[in-house]
Structure formats: C-alpha cells, structure tokens
Amino acid sequence: MDEAQRVNVGGSVNGARFEREVEPRLLLSDFLRHDLHLTGTHVGCEHGVCGACTVLVDGEAVRSCLMLAVQAEGCEIITVEGLAGDDLHPIQAAFHEEHGLQCGFCTPGILTSLLPFLRDHPDPDEQEIREAISGNLCRCTGYQNIVSAVKLAAEQMRK
Amino acid sequence: MKPAPFEYVRPASVEEAISALTEGGYAAKALAGGQSLIPAMNFRLAQPAVLVDLGGLDELRGIHPRDDGGLVIGAMTLHREVEHSSLVAEHLPLLAEVMPWIAHPQIRNRGTVGGSLAHADPAAELPSVMQVLDAVLHVQGPDGVRTVPIDEFYYGLFTTALEPDELLTAVEIPPLPAGSRSAFEEVSRRHGDFALAGVAAVVQEAEDGTVARARLSLLSVGDGPVLAERAMACLAGRTLTAESIREAAALTSEDLDPPGDIHASAEFRRHLAGVLTTRALDRLRA
Ligand SMILES: Cc1cc2nc3c(=O)[nH]c(=O)nc-3n(C[C@H](O)[C@H](O)[C@H](O)COP(=O)(O)OP(=O)(O)OC[C@H]3O[C@@H](n4cnc5c(N)ncnc54)[C@H](O)[C@@H]3O)c2cc1C
Ligand code: FES
Ligand code: FES
C-alpha cells in the first residue's frame, strides 16, 4: 500500500447528514471528535472497557472506539450533543438535579447508554439500573448519585 | 490513528468474502462485530493487511428453526438478537440464560455469535454452551461447504479448525433430547466482565431417573472450552445425588490445569470450577 486507501462514508449525526472520505482505519470515536468536531463523545481506554465513547447507532448504544467510521455507512448516529433540545433531556436534567456527575468525563457515555435502557425499561429497579451502567466506569461519583439520577429520570419520563 | 493501516474490503456475498480472504492469505482477517478484533487492532496486537468486513452479508444473519425444534443461527447474528429471540427462549433456554453473561449491552449490540465462536477466547461463554448442546459448525471455503462438530472445532488458545480462507457461516444446534435439563453458572468480578470460571451443563435423564448422558463444559480454566470427561462419565447411569454431584465436581477440579493471572490464581480457578459444577448440577436434580 503506497498510498493510503480512502473510503467514502455517509450517514447522519444528530439529524445532520455527513459525507466524508476517510482512511478505513479511522475509528468512529476519532471521526466524531476530529472530523465532525463533536468532542462530547469522550475517549478513555479505546478497547471497549470504560464506556466513555458510547454513542447510539440506529438507536442502540455501542462503543464508538470499537467501530470503524466506515462501518457507520448508512447509519443514524446520536451523540451526547444530540440529546438536549431547547431544554436539557430529562435524563440530563435528572443528572443535574441529583449530582449524577462530578468531572463529567464518563457522563456522555452514561447518558447515551441510558437512553435505550430507559426506552426498554421505563420502570427499572435498582439492580437493573446497576447492571445497565455496569459497562461504564466512573472514577468520581461512586455511582450512588448516578443510580439516584436514573431513578428520577425514569420517574420524570413516565409522566 | 490507533490501528495500523490495512486495505478495507466490503464484499457483497459470502463467495466474494472468501475470494478476498483467499487472496489475502494469512494477512487477511474477517471483521464481524469487531468487539474482539478492533481492541486487538487498537493495541496493534493484530495488524491485518486486509480487513474483510462481513457487515453487509445479510445472508449470514438470522435465527432459523429446524422442523425438529433445533435452530440454525447465522454467524453474523448479533448477541443482542439471540438474547431477545423468542425462538431461542422457547427451544434453547440454556442459550437464552447465558447471553446476559456475555459482556455489556453495548458490546452485545455489535458482537456476533460467529465472531465469538471463531475468536475462541478461552473465557468466552458461547463455545462451552455450544459444546454441551452438541452444536455443529457450518464452514465455507474456496472448495465449498463443510460441517465441523463442535468437539473437533477448538484446537487451543484462539485457534480453531477454520483455515484462513474459510468463514464460519452458521452454527446448527439440535433440539435437546427428551428428558434433558440445562444450567449455566459463572463467576466474574463485575457483571459483564470476562468470567473467572464458568460451566455449562446438560443432563439427560433416562426413564428410570438415572443419568443417560451428561455434558459439562468449562470456560476460562483452560486454553479453550474444556469438556469435563471424567466427571461426565462418572455421572452416567447414576442418579444426581449430593454424593454423585460431589464426586463429579471433585473430578472436574482435579482434571483441570487452569492458568493463573492478576484476576485469579490457578488454584482459585480450580476451586471455582468445582463449586460452579456443584451449583449447576444441583439445579438439575429432579
Ligand atoms: C469490554 C468487553 C467485554 C467482553 N466480555 C465478554 C464476555 O464476558 N464473554 C464473551 O464471550 N465475550 C466478551 N467480549 C467479546 C465479545 O463477545 C465479542 O463480540 C466476541 O468475542 C467476538 O465477536 P465479534 O463479532 O465482535 O467478532 P470480531 O471481533 O469481529 O472478530 C473476532 C475474530 O473472529 C474472526 N471472525 C469473526 N467472524 C468470523 C466468521 N464468521 N468466520 C471466520 N472468522 C470470523 C475475526 O477474523 C477475528 O479474528 C467482550 C468484549 C469487550 C470489548
Ligand atoms: S474509549 Fe471506548 S470503551 Fe473506553
Ligand atoms: S464524573 Fe468523573 S468519571 Fe464519572
């Protein structure tokens, strides 16, 4: 390979179309951050363990560090930037209310993981909540306030 | 960029995928869900020169019932799809039981059944589960299609009967024989983490209540799924009692030579294997 191969990839992020030529080895996480300048998606471990890079692809939570940008061809992506409208999303508001974040590094990945979780479990118990965030590491909060925030968010969203 | 450069190929058919793998030889790799391969590429532990993305091959996806209650699961079927399948819940409760043990939901949303079976991580749940279910693997290569019984599929650490130019296309699982019950037990540090040890068990009871056939396969205690052959033999023809279960569990532990690492010592793993075998078999007592 003398010249790096470039592959066309098109899809949407937070409702906006994108079309780019990228090197196939570009990770979706780096594509979002460096090419689309959506730096809300955080990068921690880059091997699938910490969950900071979680985004929604076609409505489901996935690790953007374990996807190549070219694999997002034709996909609808939602990042943390896509959650709030004019107001915070109820999950974000609940995190604010319950102090579900401190440094905020883990927060985008936790919020995006929770979106499909609360869609599928509108009234989760504590055990289910803890399992739902078991793939997201937080080094600040001790998880207690995150769990409280999820309970509050679920309650608000059921209204 | 984390992974080393590679040539990316997105074939439109299984045949095209196999041609690309054949052309690339040992330097080519299939990409399924990427949940094991991409971490390895990010670390540059894996540096394939050609990456053959199976993502477009819908023919490899789906769960198809056989007339007799068995299932054929396409290699590119997502862990999530198996986890939520009503066919799987109805016909293969053991498979339904094990799915939530595999990684986190975010990983199960991309990881595939075929990827997990082909990757042959000794800590993976599916190889052991498929082993006690007597699964048969469907393999396709440049010379056509062949089937491999699961007991002949695993060669060792991350090594299987697959040639570099072959694809795993599906796994076929016969129905559980009448009178069979199944159980899965595992211990991991945290929900979703890789197992420290685990066991899948199927016990078929004869009409007189004795064990007609037992299958026990352990994970994370060897270089692949490990059949507990002496324990299986010791249960045959006997009823499941505290006594026979204790014996089987002791034989299971004795026969293992597990690795030790920062997560668990070899001795602890051997101990866990015995405890988990006891728990699984206890669940199967009538
Ligand atoms: C944080 C984390 C935790 C995890 N925890 C667990 C766990 O607890 N238990 C568990 O079992 N797994 C776990 N996994 C791994 C996960 O289940 C993977 O999905 C699975 O091991 C590989 O499937 P894949 O589809 O992602 O395959 P890929 O990563 O795409 O491929 C893996 C390997 O298999 C080969 N391959 C894939 N498909 C085929 C095919 N059809 N034919 C031939 N070769 C093929 C590839 O070339 C590659 O060598 C975890 C992963 C992560 C990141
Ligand atoms: S950066 Fe993707 S899981 Fe840690
Ligand atoms: S708030 Fe700092 S890592 Fe979670």
Side-chain angles (χ1 to χ4, degrees):
Chain A
M1 237 184 306
D2 303 327
E3 214 171 288
Q5 181 193 10
R6 298 187 77 83
V7 176
N8 207 60
V9 54
S12 75
V13 175
N14 303 329
R17 284 280 315 160
F18 67 81
E19 187 93 39
R20 289 281 198 289
E21 264 202 358
V22 299
E23 249 193 272
R25 63 180 172 137
L26 181 67
L27 300 176
L28 179 59
S29 45
D30 288 339
F31 175 69
L32 291 169
R33 291 173 55 83
H34 302 159
D35 290 56
L36 302 185
H37 307 294
L38 293 168
T39 51
T41 298
H42 291 166
V43 164
C45 66
E46 304 194 288
H47 61 279
V49 174
C50 75
C53 68
T54 306
V55 301
L56 301 181
V57 173
D58 293 334
E60 301 299 338
V62 306
R63 306 288 204 226
S64 62
C65 73
L66 298 189
M67 241 180 110
L68 303 171
V70 291
Q71 289 180 289
E73 170 65 24
C75 292
E76 279 180 25
I77 299 164
I78 305 284
T79 66
V80 70
E81 288 92 342
L83 295 196
D86 289 339
D87 296 318
L88 290 181
H89 186 281
I91 305 180
Q92 291 171 310
F95 270 66
H96 178 230
E97 190 67 26
E98 293 289 332
H99 303 287
L101 63 147
Q102 288 177 22
C103 79
F105 193 82
C106 67
T107 315
I110 294 191
L111 296 176
T112 46
S113 298
L114 287 171
L115 215 61
F117 171 70
L118 289 175
R119 174 197 68 201
D120 299 339
H121 304 81
D123 190 10
D125 61 28
E126 173 147 353
Q127 180 65 26
E128 288 172 323
I129 294 172
R130 287 190 179 273
E131 280 184 23
I133 57 168
S134 69
N136 296 80
L137 296 180
C138 175
R139 296 296 78 174
C140 301
T141 65
Y143 303 99
Q144 216 56 30
N145 289 351
I146 295 179
V147 173
S148 309
V150 182
K151 285 184 189 157
L152 177 64
E155 208 179 294
Q156 298 292 345
M157 288 166 73
R158 282 199 306 274
K159 278 189 187 154
Chain B
M1 272 176 268
K2 281 83 201 176
F6 54 82
E7 187 197 332
Y8 177 77
V9 187
R10 195 176 165 90
S13 69
V14 170
E15 287 71 23
E16 256 182 63
I18 290 167
S19 305
L21 287 173
T22 310
E23 220 171 282
Y26 280 96
K29 266 209 165 295
L31 174 68
Q35 303 300 289
S36 294
L37 184 53
I38 296 183
M41 289 170 62
N42 286 351
F43 281 125
R44 299 207 175 185
L45 291 171
Q47 302 197 6
V50 180
L51 200 60
V52 182
D53 184 356
L54 309 180
L57 305 180
D58 287 339
E59 54 197 295
L60 294 183
R61 237 169 123 164
I63 302 171
H64 311 284
R66 294 197 326 193
D67 290 341
D68 61 1
L71 294 178
V72 180
I73 303 180
M76 287 297 287
T77 309
L78 300 176
H79 294 327
R80 178 187 73 234
E81 291 164 337
V82 176
E83 184 182 1
H84 297 296
S85 157
S86 50
L87 275 173
V88 170
E90 183 187 343
H91 295 288
L92 293 169
L94 178 63
L95 188 53
E97 180 184 350
V98 80
M99 297 313 295
W101 286 99
I102 304 176
H104 311 287
Q106 299 97 325
I107 310 283
R108 296 200 293 277
N109 283 335
R110 299 241 0 129
T112 66
V113 170
S116 185
L117 293 173
H119 189 53
D121 188 319
E125 287 84 359
L126 286 180
S128 281
V129 166
M130 293 301 171
Q131 191 160 42
V132 296
L133 292 174
D134 297 302
V136 173
L137 300 149
H138 294 208
V139 174
Q140 192 169 333
D143 303 325
V145 179
R146 64 184 180 116
T147 55
V148 184
I150 188 99
D151 285 353
E152 295 165 21
F153 188 69
Y154 290 103
Y155 285 7
L157 220 48
F158 301 104
T159 315
T160 69
L162 287 171
E163 296 293 334
D165 56 3
E166 285 183 319
L167 279 184
L168 177 61
T169 56
V171 55
E172 179 158 9
I173 310 159
L176 276 182
S180 299
R181 286 194 300 276
S182 59
F184 181 82
E185 293 288 332
E186 170 176 319
V187 169
S188 60
R189 295 285 292 263
R190 200 173 51 133
H191 189 93
D193 283 355
F194 277 106
L196 298 180
V199 64
V202 172
V203 169
Q204 185 191 359
E205 214 169 64
E207 278 183 12
D208 64 0
T210 60
V211 173
R213 184 168 180 256
R215 297 274 284 171
L216 289 168
S217 177
L218 291 111
L219 53 125
S220 221
V221 290
D223 56 9
V226 181
L227 266 189
E229 299 196 39
R230 275 208 302 158
M232 283 158 38
C234 117
L235 291 172
R238 298 166 69 182
T239 45
L240 289 181
T241 59
E243 176 60 32
S244 64
I245 290 175
R246 195 175 320 120
E247 242 177 81
L251 288 174
T252 301
S253 298
E254 238 175 81
D255 287 353
L256 293 173
D257 183 15
D261 54 33
I262 51 163
H263 304 293
S265 66
E267 214 168 316
F268 180 47
R269 280 206 160 86
R270 190 178 298 119
H271 168 76
L272 273 182
V275 172
L276 293 172
T277 302
T278 306
R279 282 187 198 160
L281 291 173
D282 265 337
R283 278 177 53 193
L284 301 184
R285 287 168 77 170

